Amino acid sequence: MSKIAAQFKDKKALITYISGGDPSLEMTEKLIYRLQEEGVDIIEIGIPFSDPLADGPVIQEASQRALKNGCTLKKLIEMLTDIKDKVKVPIVLMGYYNSVLNYGEKEFVEAIKKAGVSGVIIPDLPVDEKADLAYYLKEAALDQILLVTPNTSDERLKEISNSSSGFLYCVALLGTTGDARGPYPQLESYLKRVRKTAGDIPLGLGFGIDGPEKVKKFIDYPDGVIIGSALIKAITAGETETEKLENAGEFVRNIKKVLANYK
Amino acid sequence: MENQAIKMQRKTDLNKGYFSQFGGRFVPETLMPVLDELEAVYNHYKDDKEFKQELKSLLADYSGRPTSLYYAEQLSKHYGGAKIYLKREDLNHTGAHKINNTLGQILLAIKMGKQRIIAETGAGQHGVATATVAARFNLDCEIYMGAEDMERQALNVYKMEMLGAKVTEVNSGTQTLKDATNEAIRDWVRNVEDTHYIIGSVVGPHPYPVMVRDFQRIIGDECKKQIIAKEGRLPDYILACVGGGSNAMGIFFPFVDDKEVKMIGVEASGKGIDSGKHAATLSAGRVGVLHGSKSFLLQDEDGQIIPAYSISAGLDYPGVGPEHSHLKSIDRVEYHSATDLEAVKAFKLLSEKEGIIPALESSHALSYLEKLAPQLSEDEIIVVNLSGRGDKDINNFKKIKEAEKNV
Ligand SMILES: Cc1ncc(COP(=O)(O)O)c(C=O)c1O
């Protein structure tokens, strides 16, 4: 079992997303330690990109802040490499395919392996595009987490869940990240359908999950929840660094309280 | 080190939506089913007799096709070299080639039972062509347009509104065509069930580059017949401007196998490639992925998309259609570029010599005549695709005048 998949054992996992380098890599480092201390199960770190077309405004802006302050994929990987001995929680990089392609697919996998990263999510690289990336990740025993959406057919579900490792990212609604309309009204039947087809792989539910209320409402169906935009909003609302870190901590504690009641 | 099995598998997959290594479908999973649907519907109707007839009569009676192939005698005399013909796409309804594509796509949208149309637009020509067909077929229509483009192409914003479309200002990123495209894609992800996205060029995920090219190839098909009727032979050169590349693909495609016809695509080099302020993707870009396909791209060392620049909003795009990348890589088409000043000079020249005010986009193709035409003899033939008319740019006349002072 991969380090990522192991985080779903006997509990509902909490997966949090922050944008790398927002507003600085030092802050990202501090947030990683804080989220780890608060008991987050998996940390996703966004690779900032100029044209994040699967993202809503909150993550778009976070990405812009990071780029404005000079964050690059190279610097992000260097930071992760520097701190790898202090990080026990599995780290997943989430970013757009052009960033990886530009870095070099083979070089990217080698570098993130050295940095102690456990897996990647590339939302604009569907399973059909048999990129070299999938091959190199497999060779390096790193997870590639693929996404399914409410309109994914059973046939595609089968193919995607077979190719996904670590967990299967179930997008809660037809929308971009942080979409406040969510989650999808037919969530129960959707996730039951995914479960039936996907077999044993853990299911993570994400997009538009904005706090403890929504988690409570939907936590029966998936094995874990993924929270990004709402956490970033809470962090950004803090004025000082201490306040930002405290906001992150409080946000996580409130979600963990809900999750503690479920197995 | 690479495993042979993977290589083999990739090879078979490459057949779908690829032009050698370029193209593909790099989109969020949400869009995969709708792209499959679009591909299936398109493949079905493209050979359907009734569909073809309906599109043909709309192109004829609504848009005014065939557009003429005009011998520009005065311009030819001016350069004192080759015989210059203009393929008059400016004479289409709404004033550019864009309507060839929007008419085709709206018929498909209706076949798919979609209620709502979205589109991105740069110069506003594609937005107007989309709003026009949405009005004609009574579908809801929302057009995404960068804030900066709304300012420099204000006339087209009024037109779209007059036609009943909602024009949504895009303030993210560089506030131009690339960001309008991002917003249109995000809208589509949210509304994929009832909405069809009419992409305005030969860009985007498969099947768009193929489908838009097929809807635009009527330019080249007509041109071939017309030049044979007039000259009894094929032209020596075809010139077209390249933004996303749809007017160029449209006129080039039917001639790709006619090896004696040389083809030149002209990109916008803005203030000059060395200035960094340009949109010359094929001349100065590197291969990457943007808006769903792999192609040449303006990007920095970190893989961030570099904002394009051109005086002409329709060429102001950091990507280019994947089939152009392919035609470049196999050396079938040559790609050059023209600066703002060169385009403005050609804009003025055509207006004065022929009484035809060209779009600033098309003026980039025209400007290449200065380099090419005088080198050729009187019995050689150049066809320039005059992709659109320049009314929309008159609004920009002050800017043009300023640029002109420096010519
Ligand atoms: C008149 C005209 N020509 C050319 C273009 C560039 O697009 P493409 O390269 O797809 O033909 C535009 C785009 O708006 C246009 O309006």
Side-chain angles (χ1 to χ4, degrees):
Chain A
M1 193 183 294
S2 76
K3 195 173 163 189
I4 292 174
Q7 295 298 85
F8 293 84
K9 212 166 173 266
D10 301 327
K11 65 171 182 258
K12 300 276 187 186
L14 172 59
I15 302 148
T16 57
Y17 172 99
I18 52 174
S19 286
D22 168 29
S24 67
L25 280 168
E26 293 74 45
M27 188 63 189
T28 304
E29 179 181 344
K30 285 176 186 160
L31 278 167
I32 291 172
Y33 300 145
R34 186 61 182 251
L35 293 170
Q36 174 169 268
E37 273 165 37
E38 299 286 354
V40 164
D41 298 297
I42 297 167
I43 301 177
E44 281 179 19
I45 300 177
I47 303 168
F49 184 51
S50 54
D51 295 80
L53 50 76
D55 285 303
V58 172
I59 293 177
Q60 282 175 47
E61 282 161 23
S63 207
Q64 283 298 322
R65 282 192 296 269
L67 291 176
K68 220 173 111 203
N69 292 327
C71 183
T72 63
L73 176 53
K74 196 158 170 270
K75 288 183 192 167
L76 176 60
I77 294 175
E78 277 165 12
M79 184 273 282
L80 292 172
T81 312
D82 288 343
I83 67 167
K84 74 184 246 198
D85 292 335
K86 291 186 237 172
V87 180
K88 303 288 173 251
V89 59
I91 300 282
V92 170
L93 282 180
M94 179 158 180
Y96 290 84
Y97 186 48
N98 195 55
S99 301
V100 176
L101 197 62
N102 177 69
Y103 197 98
E105 293 175 279
K106 188 162 175 247
E107 293 78 4
F108 171 76
V109 172
E110 280 167 6
I112 65 169
K113 176 93 183 169
K114 262 194 215 131
V117 169
S118 299
V120 301
I121 305 174
I122 312 286
D124 63 343
L125 186 64
V127 69
D128 317 58
E129 294 295 337
K130 300 279 192 281
D132 295 346
L133 182 66
Y135 170 74
Y136 294 123
L137 287 169
K138 209 168 191 163
E139 283 259 297
L142 297 180
D143 286 333
Q144 183 176 10
I145 295 145
L146 297 176
L147 298 92
V148 296
T149 53
N151 60 346
T152 305
S153 67
D154 284 345
E155 197 189 338
R156 284 188 68 78
L157 254 174
K158 197 163 239 157
E159 193 187 348
I160 295 169
S161 53
N162 279 338
S163 306
S164 188
S165 54
F167 68 94
L168 184 62
Y169 197 132
C170 302
V171 174
L173 81 171
L174 302 177
T176 51
T177 54
D179 191 329
R181 293 173 306 163
Y184 198 62
Q186 274 99 42
L187 196 75
E188 183 177 352
S189 60
Y190 158 48
L191 287 182
K192 280 187 173 155
R193 184 166 71 88
V194 176
R195 176 80 73 199
K196 211 170 120 194
T197 316
D200 289 339
I201 189 166
L203 307 184
L205 180 69
F207 280 40
I209 298 181
D210 55 4
E213 286 312 309
K214 253 186 206 162
V215 172
K216 212 179 282 173
K217 212 161 155 193
F218 297 109
I219 195 60
D220 279 336
Y221 318 118
D223 302 302
V225 289
I226 306 152
I227 304 186
S229 297
L231 172 62
I232 292 173
K233 253 195 218 161
I235 296 169
T236 316
E239 285 189 4
T240 61
E241 194 179 284
T242 322
E243 232 176 81
K244 285 179 200 283
L245 290 169
E246 190 38 51
N247 286 358
E250 189 187 337
F251 187 94
V252 169
R253 285 193 295 279
N254 285 334
I255 305 285
K256 294 280 292 183
K257 244 186 252 165
V258 177
L259 293 180
N261 302 323
Y262 298 84
K263 277 242 156 130
Chain B
M1 205 190 94
E2 204 185 280
N3 173 316
Q4 198 56 32
I6 289 222
K7 241 188 183 152
M8 297 273 295
Q9 191 176 14
R10 200 163 356 102
K11 209 165 194 175
T12 48
D13 288 322
L14 286 185
N15 298 333
K16 195 165 161 178
Y18 273 90
F19 311 92
S20 61
Q21 62 154 316
F22 305 104
R25 250 185 207 175
F26 298 89
V27 293
E29 182 59 29
T30 320
L31 296 181
M32 293 303 285
V34 78
L35 291 172
D36 279 338
E37 179 193 14
L38 179 60
E39 184 185 9
V41 167
Y42 174 60
N43 282 336
H44 174 78
Y45 284 106
K46 75 176 186 198
D47 301 319
D48 179 84
K49 231 170 142 190
E50 253 171 63
F51 180 87
K52 278 170 36 183
Q53 190 49 48
E54 189 178 5
L55 180 56
K56 197 174 160 192
S57 59
L58 281 165
L59 286 166
D61 303 335
Y62 189 65
S63 190
R65 300 204 73 92
T67 60
S68 63
L69 182 69
Y70 165 70
Y71 171 43
E73 197 176 350
Q74 299 308 314
L75 193 67
S76 305
K77 254 192 213 145
H78 171 80
Y79 287 122
K83 250 179 136 170
I84 299 166
Y85 281 88
L86 303 176
K87 179 60 177 161
R88 298 288 307 276
E89 289 303 297
D90 61 314
L91 296 177
N92 272 303
H93 180 40
T94 73
H97 66 293
K98 297 286 179 187
I99 197 153
N100 301 332
N101 169 43
T102 60
L103 278 171
Q105 284 201 48
I106 199 134
L107 293 184
L108 291 178
I110 293 164
K111 298 287 184 202
M112 291 185 288
K114 304 288 181 181
Q115 319 282 311
R116 179 172 173 265
I117 297 295
I118 55 171
E120 85 296 338
T121 196
Q125 288 304 106
H126 174 59
V128 168
T130 302
T132 297
V133 297
R136 165 65 181 77
F137 290 96
N138 195 26
L139 296 184
D140 289 341
C141 181
E142 184 165 353
I143 307 288
Y144 288 90
M145 190 168 186
E148 192 185 316
D149 290 338
M150 283 179 75
E151 197 188 310
R152 54 181 172 171
Q153 307 278 273
L155 181 64
N156 276 339
V157 177
Y158 301 136
K159 279 191 194 168
M160 288 183 270
E161 284 169 351
M162 179 68 69
L163 291 161
K166 180 178 174 206
V167 182
T168 300
E169 182 176 300
V170 175
N171 286 299
S172 58
T174 55
Q175 311 189 345
T176 61
L177 182 55
K178 114 182 143 67
D179 308 284
T181 307
N182 290 338
E183 280 312 321
I185 293 174
R186 291 183 188 116
D187 179 311
W188 204 23
V189 166
R190 285 193 301 273
N191 300 296
V192 63
E193 284 167 322
D194 70 344
T195 298
H196 175 63
Y197 176 18
I198 300 190
I199 293 184
S201 193
V202 286
V203 299
H206 180 66
Y208 283 101
V210 174
M211 179 177 72
V212 176
R213 176 254 280 157
D214 288 351
F215 286 139
Q216 290 292 1
R217 68 170 288 169
I218 190 162
I219 306 172
D221 286 333
E222 283 176 8
C223 180
K224 204 173 211 178
K225 279 191 207 130
Q226 290 167 322
I227 197 73
I228 287 172
K230 284 180 196 288
E231 295 281 349
R233 68 178 186 93
L234 297 180
D236 298 288
Y237 287 89
I238 301 176
L239 303 181
C241 67
V242 178
S246 66
N247 85 86
M249 259 342 289
I251 196 163
F252 290 165
F253 188 67
F255 293 93
V256 165
D257 292 331
D258 300 312
K259 295 289 186 258
E260 69 272 31
V261 181
K262 297 177 207 59
M263 302 193 277
I264 297 173
V266 185
E267 297 187 299
S269 51
K271 295 186 191 297
I273 289 181
D274 294 337
S275 74
K277 300 196 92 171
H278 64 83
T281 312
L282 286 162
S283 310
R286 281 190 294 124
V287 176
V289 167
L290 177 68
H291 298 147
S293 61
K294 190 188 274 186
S295 192
F296 275 80
L297 199 58
L298 297 179
Q299 54 182 327
D300 70 12
E301 265 177 33
D302 186 38
Q304 308 298 339
I305 310 308
I306 300 175
Y309 164 80
S310 166
I311 192 172
S312 125
L315 303 184
D316 197 347
Y317 183 65
V320 67
E323 196 165 5
H324 283 291
S325 292
H326 168 67
L327 291 172
K328 177 190 160 84
S329 69
I330 62 169
D331 290 327
R332 178 62 188 96
V333 178
E334 260 180 54
Y335 294 88
H336 294 279
S337 62
T339 64
D340 288 355
L341 295 182
E342 288 168 331
V344 166
K345 194 173 161 192
F347 177 91
K348 206 174 161 219
L349 187 71
L350 191 72
S351 305
E352 289 174 2
K353 294 290 173 199
E354 295 286 352
I356 298 171
I357 303 176
L360 271 176
E361 289 79 12
S362 325
S363 303
H364 285 74
L366 290 165
S367 81
Y368 196 73
L369 287 170
E370 187 174 314
K371 290 177 185 137
L372 183 63
Q375 314 292 326
L376 304 179
S377 65
E378 270 168 40
D379 52 5
E380 288 179 282
I381 301 167
I382 306 174
V383 174
V384 184
N385 196 16
L386 192 63
S387 57
R389 66 178 186 226
D391 311 33
K392 68 188 175 59
D393 297 307
I394 299 296
N395 238 14
N396 246 344
F397 208 64
K398 242 169 68 193
K399 235 187 190 169
I400 292 171
K401 277 276 179 210
E402 274 162 29
E404 229 175 61
K405 273 189 219 139
N406 304 314
V407 172

